[in-house]
Amino acid sequence: MNAATALPLPASTSPWRLCVAPMMDWTDRHCRAFHRVLAPGARLYTEMLHAQALLHGDVAHLLAQAPGERPTALQLGGSEPQALAAAARIGARAGYDEINLNVGCPSARVQAGRFGACLMLEPALVADCVHAMQDAVSVPVTVKCRIGVDDQDDEADLDRFVDGLVHATDLGVLVVHARKAWLKGLSPHENRTLPPLDYARVHRLKRRHPSLTVVLNGGLLDVATARAQLAHVDGVMLGRAAYHDPWVLACMDAELRGVQPPARATALRALKPYVESELARGMPLRHITRHVLGLYLGRPGARRFRRLLTEGALHQEAGWELIEQALVLVETA
């Protein structure tokens, strides 16, 4: 923990008080299993899955969860209300606790499919999608959006977008990435870093809709920054900080639950039953260890820890003993 723990804790007790963002190619079930041992109280999100992938793909593979992973939200992409409703039903039957609609991804591929952030330009369609999904499932249907796209007025247009959702649906939870998305001229990476953060805009949105659970996402890189936002919104969503420096996630979760975080080695060893179960099923170790490389970020021995896991996990016979060897390197540094 850090000095911020001496400050009074926020009053929010929302189930969305601490979330881990959906991140493509990162928040698969192996990543979520690791995040769960680090943060027992956090709400975890899948990678975005297009509704059509669930309707026509390998559902068992796409929706597999780790034991004890819940509560977990399934994030869907798409813009066809009935397809999204059908995919939501599949997700709810698979045991997901929430279905989240992506209205924030700015990639060119997503735009070409008419979903993600470009849907902020079509608020009536988003309302139709949410309404259809809510009719299909009993679990919460939520939305993740930006504060605007391109030349939208991020005050009036965001209010219009959210007002329409609240009035046309039973939306109870909105996750807002506190940056605009520029659909032309910026890459997905640049859209995560170049548009300026505007936390105050999200605060005003919460004041405008006091009964709406508002979760703030974007630029929350440490415990102090994240916890400060809980004075203004109902929850925070950590993204790349939770992945690259997962100890931030562990410390934030522990602080909100009023406990001390476990030792790093203790947290990683709690993953052993999952790792051994996956190895027994034929899963290569590298698919799991790639998610834990940041656990000792900034600590003595961190580079050797990462190198041993990265190189050692390439061997087909690599097993749990490799993780123990890496722990010895870093814990004795």
Side-chain angles (χ1 to χ4, degrees):
M1 298 233 213
N2 56 35
T5 53
L7 298 174
L9 281 171
S12 172
T13 57
S14 166
W16 286 268
R17 185 168 58 165
L18 176 61
C19 306
V20 179
M23 292 176 278
M24 291 298 294
D25 299 321
W26 287 357
T27 51
D28 61 18
R29 63 186 172 91
H30 306 311
C31 175
R32 298 193 306 267
F34 177 50
H35 285 170
R36 179 55 71 217
V37 301
L38 289 173
R43 198 171 190 90
L44 307 179
Y45 284 68
T46 68
E47 305 170 86
M48 180 182 64
L49 294 174
H50 195 282
Q52 295 295 338
L54 285 186
L55 298 183
H56 304 291
D58 184 348
V59 171
H61 171 72
L62 291 171
L63 296 185
Q65 297 187 68
E69 178 187 318
R70 298 173 64 185
T72 310
L74 168 64
Q75 188 183 67
L76 293 177
S79 58
E80 300 172 4
Q82 295 312 309
L84 284 164
R89 278 193 292 268
I90 293 171
R93 285 199 300 265
Y96 282 87
D97 303 279
E98 170 192 342
I99 310 297
N100 178 264
L101 179 62
N102 184 312
V103 191
C105 181
S107 78
R109 180 176 62 85
V110 164
Q111 292 178 56
R114 196 190 174 199
F115 63 103
C118 65
L119 285 178
M120 292 199 72
L121 298 170
E122 301 186 70
L125 176 58
V126 175
D128 288 343
C129 291
V130 171
H131 192 274
M133 295 162 73
Q134 289 175 334
D135 282 348
V137 299
S138 59
V139 299
V141 174
T142 66
V143 171
K144 186 173 188 291
C145 68
R146 295 282 186 126
I147 60 173
V149 296
D150 294 340
D151 294 319
Q152 278 189 325
D153 183 285
D154 52 7
E155 198 73 35
D157 285 309
L158 180 61
D159 281 343
R160 189 175 301 113
F161 176 80
V162 178
D163 289 354
L165 277 177
V166 170
H167 294 149
T169 74
D170 294 324
L171 185 72
V173 180
L174 180 70
V175 182
V176 186
H177 187 147
R179 287 186 174 95
K180 264 194 174 183
W182 289 93
L183 304 181
K184 300 174 183 178
L186 292 184
S187 69
H189 170 73
E190 291 169 331
N191 262 300
R192 293 191 297 268
T193 55
L194 294 184
L197 287 161
D198 191 350
Y199 293 158
R201 179 64 189 93
V202 184
H203 303 167
R204 292 194 297 276
L205 181 68
K206 172 60 187 177
R207 291 196 296 270
R208 182 182 178 89
H209 293 281
S211 62
L212 180 67
T213 294
V214 175
V215 180
L216 185 145
N217 173 230
L220 303 175
L221 302 180
D222 54 61
V223 173
T225 302
R227 72 184 310 285
Q229 293 306 312
L230 289 174
H232 307 281
V233 293
D234 303 288
V236 290
M237 177 176 277
L238 305 184
R240 278 151 181 78
Y243 194 86
H244 292 307
D245 188 4
W247 199 239
V248 169
L249 173 63
C251 290
M252 185 71 187
D253 177 75
E255 180 169 334
L256 291 176
R257 292 188 297 117
V259 300
Q260 290 294 316
R264 287 175 171 83
T266 300
L268 185 52
R269 287 188 173 111
L271 195 62
K272 181 178 180 181
Y274 176 77
V275 171
E276 292 187 329
S277 173
E278 289 297 301
L279 292 174
R281 296 175 59 249
M283 181 62 63
L285 184 66
R286 66 182 181 275
H287 292 317
I288 304 173
T289 52
R290 73 184 183 99
H291 299 299
V292 311
L293 299 178
L295 181 59
Y296 285 88
L297 183 70
R299 304 281 294 182
R303 182 175 295 180
R304 289 189 294 165
F305 174 82
R306 293 193 300 271
R307 182 174 179 177
L308 180 59
L309 287 182
T310 301
E311 296 178 355
L314 294 175
H315 298 289
Q316 187 173 356
E317 69 280 6
W320 178 259
E321 67 281 354
L322 178 70
I323 296 176
E324 287 291 347
Q325 292 168 15
L327 284 172
V328 169
L329 279 179
V330 73
E331 290 291 329
T332 58

